[in-house]
């Protein structure tokens, strides 16, 4: 189904990009949802393809554990440096345009690590590659929050499931390709697939910025001044996400190498470790909404983190390939919903800037984990280094308990129309209500006695 609006060629003209006051019809919600899901899936596909070829890139460049850890640190630094910049670009040019450009950049730069022949060259290529993936993460989550607001119900967990599915596909293809083709041709093919996908996704994302009014701040009871973002809460949400994202980054970049070195798995079976992790995470995220209703947020998040810790310990203390693969699956199931729930809340509270701040903190774990693992592996061995995944998962469970408080598992709200999102912090029930009728029809209902946590709800906007 198409929505009347400007032709794609007119949407992409510079004059249209520079004329935010021109009101045109955005794409339909279903079409935008599919486009954003494809963007998330493409991001996962690119990352999963890279993860499957890390051992081959390490061998081609002669990088040991420490050198590979330094190279992966460059990927992390590039991503983190670009995240805050991406938020400013989103505010200036729109989240749709930014996400389209970031997707094109990440697709094109996916081929760069395949041409590295030395550790310095690998560091340089991963710095650029990391910058583009960091931009995609901020922009995609920001436009995902927009989809969630338009739909009036949870969407971001499902969109992150597309990322996990893309990672699964990339890892499977990468594992098969490792036996028949070199790294460079494989990653060039990944880049071409990504650019082809963006030829359809890009115009839809750009069109989603059409006719959007400026964000309207929400006046929260208590007289909080508009124009400020709840920085403390965003950092806490990012910390919860980061403690669990540490495991995702560690398994994506070191899981295949662990299975090859410690369990003596063939290249294709080694890639199956990340594939199993990604598929379990995708399934968990698809079921995330129902799980929250069935067991409550507190039990889901704490129980999931502890399940991930048990899986990580099983994977690094066994010499059996089936047990190690099962451990990777448990980690994926346990960590599935922590990151998207935290980022969704940050986006609802602070728009693109909120997403950028919480994502920067969260992706410190995702992107900072691999280099830390490399440094620890050089001194204590790879199994011991990967054992820190369990430690960080337990830390995430502790953070959730500290943020949410023992008195509240799920908020008790008055009967109001629309879908009420429970906020993950505070000892009193707090909810953000998304009313049917679009992104600008936002309101907040806060029960009495919310105390100091009300001061953090100074601005609610969706970018």
């Amino acid at each position: 189904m198409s929505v009347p609006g400007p032709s794609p060629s007119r949407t992409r003209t510079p004059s249209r990009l520079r004329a935010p006051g021109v009101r045109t019809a955005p794409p339909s919600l279903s079409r935008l949802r599919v486009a954003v899901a494809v963007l998330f899936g493409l991001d996962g596909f690119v990352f999963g393809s890279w993860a499957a070829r890390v051992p081959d890139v390490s061998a081609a460049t002669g990088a040991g554990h420490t050198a590979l850890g330094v190279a992966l640190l460059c990927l992390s630094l590039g991503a983190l440096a670009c995240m805050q910049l991406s938020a400013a670009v989103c505010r200036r040019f729109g989240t749709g345009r930014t996400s389209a450009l970031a997707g094109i950049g990440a697709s094109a730069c996916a081929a760069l690590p395949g041409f590295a022949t030395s550790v310095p060259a690998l560091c340089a290529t991963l710095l650029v590659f990391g910058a583009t993936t960091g931009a995609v993460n901020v922009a995609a989550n920001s436009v995902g929050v927009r989809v969630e607001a338009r739909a009036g119900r949870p969407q971001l967990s499902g969109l992150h499931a597309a990322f996990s599915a893309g990672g699964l596909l990339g890892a499977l293809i990468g594992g098969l390709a490792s036996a028949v083709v070199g790294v460079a041709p494989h990653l060039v093919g990944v880049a071409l697939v990504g650019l082809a996908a963006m030829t359809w996704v890009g115009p839809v994302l750009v069109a989603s910025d059409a006719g959007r009014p400026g964000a309207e701040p929400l006046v929260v009871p208590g007289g909080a001044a508009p124009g400020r973002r709840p920085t403390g809460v965003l950092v806490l949400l990012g910390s919860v996400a980061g403690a669990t994202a540490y495991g995702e980054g560690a398994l994506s970049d070191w899981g295949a190498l662990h299975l090859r070195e410690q369990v003596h798995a063939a290249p294709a079976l080694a890639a199956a470790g990340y594939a199993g992790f990604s598929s379990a995470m995708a399934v968990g995220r698809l079921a995330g909404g129902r799980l929250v209703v069935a067991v409550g947020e507190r039990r889901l998040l704490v129980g999931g983190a502890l399940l991930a810790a048990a899986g990580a310990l099983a994977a690094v203390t066994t010499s059996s390939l089936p047990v190690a693969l099962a451990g990777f699956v448990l980690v994926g199931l346990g960590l599935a919903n922590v990151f998207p729930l935290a980022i969704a809340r940050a986006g609802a509270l602070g728009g693109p800037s909120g997403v950028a701040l919480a994502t920067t903190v969260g992706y410190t774990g995702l992107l900072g984990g691999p280099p830390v693992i490399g440094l620890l592996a050089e001194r204590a061995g790879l199994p011991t280094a990967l054992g820190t995944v369990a430690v960080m998962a337990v830390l995430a469970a502790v953070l959730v308990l500290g943020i949410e408080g023992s008195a509240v598992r799920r908020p008790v709200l008055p009967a109001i129309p629309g879908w009420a999102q429970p906020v993950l912090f505070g000892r009193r029930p707090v909810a953000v209500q998304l009313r049917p009728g679009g992104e600008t029809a936002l309101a907040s209902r806060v029960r009495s006695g919310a105390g100091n946590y009300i001061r953090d709800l100074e601005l609610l906007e969706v970018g």
Side-chain angles (χ1 to χ4, degrees), residues 6 17 75 131 151 158 206 215 230 237-238 250 272 322-323 325 378 390 393 402 408 417-418 422 441 451:
L17 291 174
L75 187 150
V206 171
L237 291 172
V323 173
L325 294 177
E378 192 72 22
V408 176

Side-chain angles (χ1 to χ4, degrees), residues 51-62 174-175 177-179 181-183 186 257 260 267:
R53 303 310 297 261
V54 166
D56 298 312
V57 172
S58 176
T61 57
S178 65
V181 69
V183 177
H186 170 222
L257 193 61
R260 285 197 193 185

